Amino acid sequence: MNFLRNLPILVLGLGDSGLAMARWARRCGAARIVVADSREAPPQAQRLAEDVPGAELRCGPFTPALIEDGLKLVLKSPGLSPLDPAMAALIEAAEQRGLLVLGELSLFAHALADLKAECGYAPKVIAITGTNGKTTTTSLTALLVERAGLRVAVAGNIGPTLLDTLGAALDAEAAALPDVDAGADADADAEAEATPSPLDAQVDVQAEDQADDQANAPADPADAIQTSDPVEDVDDEGPEPDEADAPDASVDAESDGPADAPPAEDLAAEIGGGGPPPHLVPPPPPAPEFAHLPQAWVLELSSFQLDGVTNFEPTSAAVLNVTQDHLDWHGDMAAYAAAKARIFGKQAVMVLNRDDAAVLAMVPQPPPPELNKAGKPVKSKGPKWQPRRTVLFGLDRPRRPGDWGLVVEHGMAWLVRAHPGDPLDEATAKRAAAAFDPDELSLQRLMPADALRIRGRHNAANALAALALARAAGLPLAPMLHGLREYRGEPHRVEFLRSVDGIEAYDDSKGTNVGATVAALNGLGPDKSPAKLAVILGGDGKGQDFSPLAPAVAAHARAVALIGRDAAAIEAMLADTVAASSLPMARFDTLEAATRWCFAQCRAGDAVLLSPACASLDMFRNYAHRAQVFADTVAALAEERGEYGA
């Protein structure tokens, strides 16, 4: 792995990701490692000294003076917003000196490319992002991949870090495969030291990618969505130089053919078959075997990690949804969505939520036709534009072959997939498009939604996304369906706690933004219907617009309890909704009081849902502390009523 070898680098931020990048730089033989943190006493300073001997730690406010002469690369931790004035000035200083500013995901992508070149390591990479549902879908996808028989690693925003996870696997692999570069220290042998870093080439690639991003900006997604069923990927750049320029070596001195035999393509044309005779085709090289390196990576990626990335190329990737969040970091919704869209790279199968217009808008559109001076279209001289492979999932009936969805038959909701080649196949799709009726699609019933251990329609959508991602990566469906029934969900994400007097309690304390709470209400509400939900809202709203809560509250709420700093703002926004629906709504100083009141409002069959739509730090240490207070109150209520079982 040569990307960082012999480079003097600056790492910005000493959180988990910054420390991981510093460790990785040492592993890869960076010549000098400077780590800067805006805090006067970073908590991980001692770990840095232990794990990265010789690293230089600079503490205090970020200034352009950190960009010293001789630095070749800046590595930025994902939590640092480029819109922060100090960070913006520092990045501008780096760019003025011609330095790249990269993050951990870019380093991870470089490492996979280096390992593929050096030892043939080519795992499947499945990536997930979205405003809500990332962790559930990531954990579920990893379980499905494991049930399909692959050794899997889970990393990214879900933790642990990408580079620490890869480093641990390389260390474990080193004993079994000593030729694998498990990471050279700065005192590597002379030949390695003489190897130049590919940093200059990366500058050119980044400039080209930025130009491509502008040229391929999304327009109307309906024109470019293509079914995901097997099609050949098209390499617009043609074969690699060593493949295009190398002499044909398919016939050696011991073969039956002459030494100057024509290339295999010419032989195929001469004999009229689908390829050269078998005795002229060399056997493929054996695939490398690894004992510890993952066969598949399942990555949860935040918009912070994806921002600015140009070299990440997963096998399949999903954007689950895009709702208002992190606008203080990105500036506006357009920048936030653009960061999310970088997860697809240039080649991944795109797994998209068809119920979210902002997600569908990420599908690349064909370029406008070239026109002559008379304004008439002319044939383009460049490579033919190819639509991206896409798979759609949603909470309704699939409308295209190979897509995933939900249907309700005789009162039972089923997870379904439209048969990939039915009724249209690739060869006849264009001809039959005019007569195609989506309602005639043949659907494969997978399992009842009620068979999932995770509750709510939003979790059914997460399950469909996980299946679509793993299937797009080529994994078999049958063992994954067995795994789907096993998954019990993640803590504090519409997690069922217990029932008290026939009233269920659900902990969705991780619902820290409006989109998450709307998803919880719209997900759990239909599952409980005709029963209703008493919902607890409030906390630090971080300047969000609370209005999207109104329709979900009107549709599914029995009562609304409000807590925390923004209780008054939520109350004002919901005033008309609760008046029109005659819903009880009240404000409380404590979560304990709000919880008890909600149980008092409910009827048998109803549920109490803690899904605050707000951050917790105005009243609690974190969202887990908030969840514990809620759970303790529910347990106390059960004990008071003589119910001691969970």
Side-chain angles (χ1 to χ4, degrees):
M1 293 176 289
N2 295 321
F3 181 67
L4 299 179
R5 193 180 304 284
N6 298 326
L7 291 182
I9 66 167
L10 171 65
V11 178
L12 297 175
L14 192 53
D16 289 343
S17 187
L19 181 60
M21 289 190 289
R23 289 191 189 109
W24 189 256
R26 180 178 184 270
R27 170 186 290 273
C28 294
R32 181 187 177 204
I33 302 170
V34 179
V35 179
D37 193 280
S38 60
R39 295 166 291 187
E40 291 296 335
Q44 303 210 79
Q46 184 60 36
R47 289 290 303 277
L48 177 69
E50 295 170 356
D51 295 352
V52 192
E56 306 168 36
L57 179 60
R58 311 286 175 81
C59 298
F62 289 151
T63 71
L66 289 169
I67 307 300
E68 302 173 356
D69 291 336
L71 287 175
K72 296 295 185 182
L73 182 65
V74 177
L75 303 176
K76 183 179 75 68
S77 295
L80 302 174
S81 170
L83 300 184
D84 176 81
M87 182 56 57
L90 198 157
I91 292 175
E92 182 180 3
E95 292 175 345
Q96 287 176 350
R97 289 179 179 250
L99 304 183
L100 282 178
V101 180
L102 303 178
E104 187 190 3
L105 182 57
S106 290
L107 290 189
F108 178 78
H110 276 296
L112 290 187
D114 285 348
L115 286 167
K116 182 177 181 179
E118 293 168 10
C119 61
Y121 177 56
K124 299 179 185 297
V125 178
I126 299 174
I128 297 113
T129 195
T131 307
N132 302 299
K134 295 188 296 295
T135 299
T136 295
T137 305
T138 300
S139 299
L140 180 51
T141 303
L143 175 63
L144 301 187
V145 172
E146 184 178 59
R147 292 296 180 268
L150 298 188
R151 185 170 56 253
V152 62
V154 183
N157 194 57
I158 194 173
T161 66
L162 303 166
L163 295 176
D164 281 345
T165 306
L166 179 57
L170 285 168
D171 288 342
E173 196 72 51
L177 291 173
D179 290 337
V180 175
D181 180 5
D185 292 332
D187 58 350
D189 56 48
E191 180 180 356
E193 289 179 355
T195 303
S197 166
L199 187 57
D200 293 337
Q202 169 68 13
V203 175
D204 296 336
V205 169
Q206 185 179 41
E208 180 181 340
D209 287 342
Q210 290 172 346
D212 289 345
D213 288 343
Q214 295 173 358
N216 296 327
D220 182 1
D223 297 333
I225 295 180
Q226 173 177 312
T227 186
S228 65
D229 295 295
V231 295
E232 292 296 324
D233 289 333
V234 176
D235 184 356
D236 291 341
E237 303 299 327
E240 293 294 326
D242 59 343
E243 296 174 352
D245 301 333
D248 182 73
S250 61
V251 181
D252 60 27
E254 297 180 3
S255 73
D256 295 331
D260 57 350
E265 306 88 79
D266 297 336
L267 282 170
E270 287 177 14
I271 64 177
H279 69 281
L280 295 182
V281 180
E289 295 183 6
F290 302 98
H292 299 281
L293 282 166
Q295 296 166 303
W297 290 82
V298 180
L299 308 179
E300 178 189 327
L301 299 174
S302 70
S303 59
F304 303 164
Q305 292 168 307
L306 288 161
D307 188 66
V309 169
T310 60
N311 64 331
F312 180 58
E313 296 293 342
T315 310
S316 60
V319 176
L320 304 175
N321 44 65
V322 177
T323 58
Q324 191 179 94
D325 203 9
H326 302 307
L327 300 191
D328 55 341
W329 200 99
H330 292 281
D332 55 36
M333 279 295 291
Y336 176 53
K340 294 284 190 189
R342 288 184 177 272
I343 197 170
F344 298 117
K346 295 180 179 179
Q347 67 178 28
V349 178
M350 303 176 72
V351 176
L352 304 156
N353 181 355
R354 66 172 168 270
D355 298 331
D356 192 314
V359 172
L360 287 181
M362 296 175 181
V363 179
Q365 302 302 303
E370 294 184 19
L371 304 177
N372 60 21
K373 292 182 179 180
K376 296 184 177 180
V378 297
K379 187 175 181 180
S380 174
K381 297 179 181 178
K384 183 180 179 181
W385 184 83
Q386 295 290 333
R388 289 292 292 269
R389 292 178 59 190
T390 61
V391 184
L392 306 185
F393 69 92
L395 292 177
D396 59 356
R397 182 185 179 90
R399 309 297 287 175
R400 308 181 317 162
D403 283 353
W404 307 72
L406 199 71
V407 297
V408 179
E409 297 177 351
H410 307 295
M412 178 178 290
W414 285 84
L415 305 185
V416 299
R417 184 192 186 203
H419 281 293
D422 187 6
L424 302 177
D425 59 36
E426 190 82 19
T428 60
K430 289 185 179 180
R431 185 172 67 252
F436 174 51
D437 182 359
D439 291 329
E440 295 301 318
L441 275 173
S442 176
L443 301 181
Q444 177 185 10
R445 297 183 192 177
L446 304 175
M447 61 187 294
D450 285 346
L452 296 171
R453 293 176 185 265
I454 47 178
R455 311 311 302 166
R457 294 295 170 89
H458 64 303
N459 275 325
N462 292 337
L464 291 167
L467 287 169
L469 281 162
R471 192 73 187 91
L475 301 182
L477 184 59
M480 294 194 294
L481 292 178
H482 289 289
L484 197 60
R485 295 173 182 267
E486 300 173 20
Y487 182 66
R488 294 182 175 273
E490 301 302 302
H492 318 308
R493 293 168 175 85
V494 195
E495 178 186 7
F496 173 70
L497 297 181
R498 64 177 301 153
S499 179
V500 180
D501 279 349
I503 300 165
E504 295 178 338
Y506 288 88
D507 165 19
D508 190 44
S509 185
K510 189 64 168 61
T512 57
N513 60 63
V514 169
T517 296
V518 170
L521 287 165
N522 289 337
L524 190 59
D527 275 5
K528 297 298 297 178
S529 182
K532 296 285 186 177
L533 310 174
V535 60
I536 302 172
L537 303 172
D540 180 2
K542 301 175 292 185
Q544 294 177 96
D545 174 14
F546 291 113
S547 61
L549 291 170
V553 166
H556 305 297
R558 173 77 67 197
V560 179
L562 303 172
I563 62 172
R565 179 181 301 163
D566 283 330
I570 300 173
E571 182 178 40
M573 186 279 302
L574 289 178
D576 292 341
T577 299
V578 299
S581 304
S582 299
L583 289 177
M585 180 168 65
R587 290 165 59 179
F588 298 91
D589 293 332
T590 68
L591 176 55
E592 294 92 334
T595 302
R596 289 177 175 275
W597 179 82
C598 282
F599 270 92
Q601 306 306 309
C602 286
R603 306 170 187 172
D606 286 350
V608 176
L609 172 67
L610 170 67
S611 187
C614 294
S616 60
L617 298 180
D618 59 327
M619 295 175 67
F620 305 95
R621 293 190 300 274
N622 48 44
Y623 70 82
H625 178 212
R626 177 168 62 189
Q628 189 61 55
V629 171
F630 177 66
D632 290 346
T633 306
V634 172
L637 275 169
E639 185 174 348
E640 290 167 11
R641 301 179 188 189
E643 298 183 13
Y644 297 98

